[in-house]
Each structure stands twice: as C-alpha cells, then as structure tokens.
Amino acid sequence: MRVKFFIAKVLSFVPDKLFSIIKYSLYHKKIPNLNGSSFSEKLLSKKCGLMGSEEKQLRETVTDRLLVRDFVEKTTSGVDLIPLLWSGKVFTKKVWDGLPECFVIKARHGSQMVKIVDKNKCQFNEVYNATEEWKKTDYYLLGREWVYKNTPRELVVEEFISFNSDVPPDYKFFCLNGKVELVQIDLERFKDHKRNLYSRDFEQLDVKLIYPSGEPTKKPRLFESALGIAEKLSQEFDFIRVDLYILDEKIYFGELTNFPENGLGAFEPQSYDQALGAKMRSNNA
C-alpha cells in the first residue's frame, strides 16, 4: 500500500480526469467514451465529476462514515445502524480502555482503512499506530475519487457484529435509478475472498467481478426486506451501491458506495457491462 501511495504522490500533477481515463484504459483494456453506454463508462463519467453541484454534495455526504448515518435515519426505516461507540480525531489509551474486547475502528475519509480489533490478540499501540497512519493518508489522491477529498481525517469506532462467531456476509446491492439490478455477495473476504453475483430475484449469474465465485449462497430470510431498504436508500441516485449485512433477525447498514472498485472492476463477460449500463439513466441526461 505504501508503494501505491508513493506512486500516487509522484503522479499528483496529473489532472484527475486524465488520471482516471488512463487508469480505466489500463484496467478495462479499452479507451473509454465518457458519453458511452456501458455501466463502467457511465460510472467513469461520474468519477470525472460530470454531474450537478447538488449531486456532488450528496455523494460527498454519504461517503463520510459519520454523516451517512443521519442520511440513513432520515431516508428509511427497517434497517439498523451498527452502534457507534466513539468518534474523534485521536485514538487515545483512555478511549481504548473504555471500549469492549471486540470492536471495529475505521477512518472516515477512505476505504480499506478498517481494523477489526480483539483486545486479546492485539495491543493499544498497534491500533493507535495504524490510525495515525490512516490520518496521514490522502485516500483521494490514491484513486482520485473526489468524494473523499474534503472528508475529515478522523476516526469512528463501531460495535463488532458477529455472525456465527465470524464476520457476517456482505450483501452489496447495485441500485440503478432506484431499482436493484445486481446483488454482489462477498464471502470470507478476510481469508479466501470469493464473490457471487445474483439477479434481484436471487438467481446466481454466470458473471465474474474480479474474484472467483464461491459456493452458492442460500437466500436469506430477510432478503426481500433488504432489497426494499436498498431501493429506498438509492432513490436520489442514478447509481449507488448499498451495502447491507443481513443476519437472521436484523438488517444492518454497511455503507453507500459511489464508485465500486474505484470504477476499475471489469465484468466477465464484458457483455454484462453493456447490459447493466443499458439499465442506467443518468440524472444529468
């Protein structure tokens, strides 16, 4: 990761739009058309900031791990927010002492800066040092996702939600114009990452997105409720990915994602990229 950030700093002189187009070309192996009809091209146009000021402000708000909680509470019911245990600028020993044995600490200003903490397995200094590194990190510069540029470099701590003594499966709902069109399920993402893709009717698709498919997943009892929640949360967007944790009796909110895989994830087969894009009508069209 440090090497990636070093390279990002070296290339900081390259304009965001040009940087994103070049990276897209390398990952998707084609030169994009910002007015193109595929899903990845439409996502790229948004990553290049081709939208109105109100939409930009909304996308910045829902990216912030703290501010998005208010958005969720105002937008829908039936979904639980993972209890917030603490938020602030500096993770001190006093804060550590006041937290339970297990918790999850995250940075507000970027993805991948997340740590599941078990006090029986790690020490305060280890967690503190990690959070200090996070705060030094300009996550926006790494992938030029402008939604992170103005987010405060602060921390949030949430309760650890277990699922059969493990991390719960992560359900990611791709919502296009307020309707779920694709469901991504990530399995064992901290061990041997697998990824299954499903239709809104929970039919497994013969489509791959970066990771290999895993064993078929049983449809959760609360899947239809989660689908409705995702669609309510997505009503103001032409595209947003709604991430939820579906447990036996509860649905927990995870996050709202503007640019999945930084817009660089290529579907296999490529024809699915076109098919998904055909279902997306841009708010700026």
Side-chain angles (χ1 to χ4, degrees), residues 171-175 180 182-183 223 226-227 230 240-242 244:
Y171 294 78
K172 303 177 187 293
F173 295 84
F174 285 62
C175 300
V180 172
L182 173 67
V183 183
F223 179 78
L227 191 115
I240 197 77
R241 197 187 74 195
V242 181
L244 303 172

Side-chain angles (χ1 to χ4, degrees), residues 52-59:
S53 58
E54 288 188 8
E55 182 179 350
K56 283 186 177 180
Q57 184 175 5
L58 178 60
R59 289 186 180 277

Side-chain angles (χ1 to χ4, degrees), residues 12 14-16 56 59-60 63-64 108-110 137-142 144-153 259:
S12 61
V14 179
D16 290 355
K56 283 186 177 180
R59 289 186 180 277
E60 285 181 336
T63 296
D64 188 314
R108 286 177 64 177
H109 64 286
T137 300
D138 186 349
Y139 190 79
Y140 142 76
L141 194 61
L142 179 63
R144 305 300 179 91
E145 294 181 71
W146 54 266
V147 289
Y148 292 111
K149 191 171 185 177
N150 300 314
T151 308
R153 296 192 192 184
F259 310 119

Side-chain angles (χ1 to χ4, degrees), residues 86-280:
W86 174 82
S87 65
K89 294 182 178 181
V90 182
F91 187 70
T92 65
K93 184 63 164 58
K94 182 178 179 181
V95 173
W96 166 273
D97 290 339
L99 293 171
E101 284 191 3
C102 293
F103 58 87
V104 179
I105 188 165
K106 307 174 181 179
R108 286 177 64 177
H109 64 286
S111 181
Q112 301 177 42
M113 292 181 281
V114 177
K115 188 173 181 63
I116 298 174
V117 178
D118 182 343
K119 289 184 177 180
N120 296 311
K121 297 179 180 179
C122 62
Q123 302 297 315
F124 163 73
N125 285 342
E126 177 185 343
V127 180
Y128 171 80
N129 290 337
T131 62
E132 289 299 298
E133 283 296 315
W134 294 346
K135 288 189 292 181
K136 295 175 185 175
T137 300
D138 186 349
Y139 190 79
Y140 142 76
L141 194 61
L142 179 63
R144 305 300 179 91
E145 294 181 71
W146 54 266
V147 289
Y148 292 111
K149 191 171 185 177
N150 300 314
T151 308
R153 296 192 192 184
E154 298 180 0
L155 309 164
V156 295
V157 173
E158 296 176 343
E159 184 177 299
F160 174 68
I161 304 299
S162 64
F163 179 80
N164 296 330
S165 300
D166 204 345
V167 178
D170 200 0
Y171 294 78
K172 303 177 187 293
F173 295 84
F174 285 62
C175 300
L176 282 63
N177 303 104
K179 182 180 179 181
V180 172
E181 299 289 358
L182 173 67
V183 183
Q184 172 185 315
I185 304 178
D186 287 291
L187 305 167
E188 301 183 52
R189 59 192 184 282
F190 296 107
K191 299 175 184 176
D192 182 23
H193 201 152
K194 297 291 192 298
R195 175 172 290 169
N196 292 348
L197 301 179
Y198 293 83
S199 71
R200 63 177 287 112
D201 298 318
F202 212 78
E203 296 175 348
Q204 188 164 358
L205 304 175
D206 188 18
V207 179
K208 177 184 171 184
L209 182 60
I210 301 179
Y211 296 100
S213 299
E215 292 296 319
T217 306
K218 182 180 178 181
K219 182 178 179 180
R221 186 177 68 84
L222 297 179
F223 179 78
E224 299 298 336
S225 297
L227 191 115
I229 289 166
E231 293 187 337
K232 286 181 180 178
L233 289 172
S234 69
Q235 287 302 306
E236 297 186 55
F237 302 90
D238 47 15
F239 168 74
I240 197 77
R241 197 187 74 195
V242 181
D243 299 357
L244 303 172
Y245 298 107
I246 308 176
L247 278 62
D248 293 337
E249 301 297 332
K250 281 188 176 183
I251 299 170
Y252 283 101
F253 174 76
E255 63 183 9
L256 296 181
T257 301
N258 288 286
F259 310 119
E261 312 295 347
N262 194 18
L264 303 176
F267 288 104
E268 297 179 23
Q270 291 184 357
S271 58
Y272 187 77
D273 187 24
Q274 198 68 40
L276 194 61
K279 298 178 180 180
M280 179 178 168

